[in-house]
Amino acid sequence: QMRYDKGEIRVKAGAKVKLTLNHTGKMAKEVMGHNFVLLHQGVVPADFAVEAVAAGLANSYVPEHSTDVIVHTITIGGGESTTIEFEAPAAGTYDFICSFPGHVALMKGKFVVE
């Protein structure tokens, strides 16, 4: 259904976060890949997604050295999973998206840091 199973994730500021992304579909990452990209506050998800397309699959649709991204996973295909660990940023509300081309409209959510 091209959606994350959570539209909101809540954590405490400074907490160690372990996030696992599971792709429950069957298509390869080249045609229906998914990732998780946590954006800094103030970054417009749709604008970032336009820039991300140029980065390509080899860079998991995340521009190299982007200052818009706090953390991201690799892009995975059907049946695959990936895990990232990071320290939660400062208190506030952040957007997370899938930056695979065309997915940002449906695959997005809020990362709330308390």
Side-chain angles (χ1 to χ4, degrees), residues 18 23 29 31 43 47-48 53 55-57 68 78 87 110:
K18 183 176 183 179
H23 188 319
K29 65 184 172 186
V31 293
V43 176
D47 293 346
F48 176 82
V53 171
L57 179 59
D68 293 337
E87 186 177 306
K110 298 293 182 184

Side-chain angles (χ1 to χ4, degrees), residues 18-88:
K18 183 176 183 179
L19 184 137
T20 299
L21 178 66
N22 297 304
H23 188 319
T24 58
K26 297 182 185 204
M27 295 178 157
K29 65 184 172 186
E30 292 80 8
V31 293
M32 187 57 73
H34 297 309
N35 65 3
F36 173 92
V37 181
L38 181 60
L39 300 171
H40 280 285
Q41 289 179 313
V43 176
V44 177
D47 293 346
F48 176 82
V50 170
E51 295 174 21
V53 171
L57 179 59
N59 292 312
S60 289
Y61 298 103
V62 175
E64 273 190 276
H65 311 296
S66 174
T67 58
D68 293 337
V69 176
I70 296 170
V71 66
H72 69 90
T73 66
I74 61 171
T75 299
I76 58 174
E80 297 178 328
S81 66
T82 186
T83 299
I84 54 172
E85 293 186 35
F86 60 98
E87 186 177 306

